[in-house]
Amino acid sequence: QGIRARETLQKGLEKAIQEKLQNTQGKDYADALDILIESGKEHGKELTMQELKDGTLELIFAAYATTASASTSLIMQLLKHPRVLEKLREELRSKGILHNGCICEGSLRLDNISSLHYLDCVIKEVLRLFTPISGGYRTVLQTFELDGFQIPKGWSVMYSIRDTHDTAPVFKDVDIFDPDRFGQGRSEDKDGRFHYLPFGGGRFELATRTFPRITLVPVVHPVDGLKVKFFGLDSNQNEILTGTDAMLGATV
């Protein structure tokens, strides 16, 4: 079933790629597929149709699915840990980013975002516990030995991000959501190499009675989505009523 679905995707991608190759005039921008097509030409070898399809499929998966998975996991953990959420709000308010439950105009500058150290810790902890991708594949370039086992040149090997995070000795209480482990006082991710391997206003609350069941395939995500409601807040953390219910409900 998965193979048939992939074939359907490949057919659709091939049609889109051919249209792209035939219509190259009059464009004043370059999208990801344009860049992928040109990348082969820069190295003196145009990519085959199969290579373009595989590359495009990988871009779709890597650019969309992983971000959606991580963002959903972030919101779910903030809902489960209100103290973390409030500490995060305090940081946003202290940097002039959040006011009356809304993002302040002009506050989302690179220098301002880069100064959000606690937000960085929270995102790192989300990616530690709920890595969107379970691992990666590599080809062995040179025969080597690992724990008494010889791994021959040419073999395909897979490293597990999730297993590494679960068993890395540098992380204390690995099952607990604790953003402070990445703070300046602890910095558990810096105690050794290859222990941490991830690859990024208002109020919201759960719109269902219980948290959804999580599945790991093809990326970490709630089986039926994470249903939440979003509300604006005033400076006293009171709910701001909106003119439409359309903005109050969303499935992440």
Side-chain angles (χ1 to χ4, degrees):
Q1 197 173 25
I3 292 174
R4 288 197 300 271
R6 182 181 178 86
E7 290 174 348
T8 300
L9 282 172
Q10 295 266 11
K11 290 179 181 178
L13 289 174
E14 182 167 345
K15 179 182 178 182
I17 291 170
Q18 287 183 345
E19 291 176 353
K20 171 80 68 176
L21 293 172
Q22 293 168 1
N23 300 302
T24 59
Q25 303 299 321
K27 287 180 54 177
D28 57 356
Y29 68 92
D31 57 28
L33 183 53
D34 290 319
I35 296 173
L36 184 62
I37 293 171
E38 291 300 320
S39 65
K41 296 179 182 179
E42 291 175 1
H43 295 86
K45 178 183 177 297
E46 291 192 22
L47 299 177
T48 65
M49 176 58 72
Q50 188 59 48
E51 288 173 333
L52 286 172
K53 288 190 293 184
D54 289 342
T56 303
L57 192 59
E58 183 71 17
L59 279 174
I60 293 173
F61 180 78
Y64 168 75
T66 53
T67 304
S69 171
S71 300
T72 301
S73 296
L74 170 65
I75 292 176
M76 185 183 295
Q77 292 311 302
L78 291 178
L79 286 168
K80 286 185 174 182
H81 301 88
R83 291 183 181 177
V84 172
L85 176 58
E86 183 52 35
K87 186 175 179 179
L88 192 55
R89 286 193 182 122
E90 288 177 5
E91 181 178 60
L92 294 175
R93 287 193 286 264
S94 70
K95 299 295 182 179
I97 295 176
L98 189 65
H99 180 68
N100 285 347
C102 300
I103 300 296
C104 299
E105 185 177 353
S107 62
L108 293 181
R109 305 183 311 275
L110 182 59
D111 60 333
N112 217 3
I113 295 174
S114 298
S115 68
L116 299 174
H117 300 301
Y118 188 65
L119 174 61
D120 184 60
C121 293
V122 172
I123 293 175
K124 283 182 177 178
E125 182 69 343
V126 168
L127 294 180
R128 182 189 71 85
L129 272 172
F130 306 98
T131 308
I133 300 298
S134 60
Y137 292 93
R138 294 293 184 269
T139 299
V140 178
L141 299 179
Q142 183 176 343
T143 299
F144 68 96
E145 190 172 292
L146 179 65
D147 290 340
F149 294 92
Q150 188 179 78
I151 313 298
K153 177 182 178 180
W155 273 28
S156 293
V157 297
M158 177 182 179
Y159 62 91
S160 174
I161 297 175
R162 293 195 185 112
D163 289 341
T164 299
H165 289 178
D166 288 344
T167 61
V170 298
F171 296 123
K172 312 303 180 186
D173 301 318
V174 294
D175 295 328
I176 296 177
F177 183 77
D178 180 14
D180 289 323
R181 72 174 73 247
F182 292 101
Q184 293 182 349
R186 292 166 64 180
S187 301
E188 294 180 10
D189 59 317
K190 297 180 177 62
D191 294 336
R193 301 177 66 197
F194 310 122
H195 296 304
Y196 182 63
L197 306 171
F199 37 51
R203 179 175 62 85
F204 50 90
E205 65 180 33
L206 198 64
T208 54
R209 292 180 179 273
T210 59
F211 285 97
R213 183 169 60 86
I214 296 294
T215 182
L216 304 179
V217 179
V219 296
V220 174
H221 70 281
V223 174
D224 297 316
L226 177 63
K227 295 179 174 60
V228 295
K229 291 184 177 181
F230 293 86
F231 304 88
L233 296 177
D234 62 19
S235 58
N236 294 316
Q237 300 298 295
N238 296 315
E239 182 179 317
I240 300 173
L241 298 179
T242 63
T244 172
D245 291 337
M247 299 299 293
L248 294 181
T251 299
V252 183

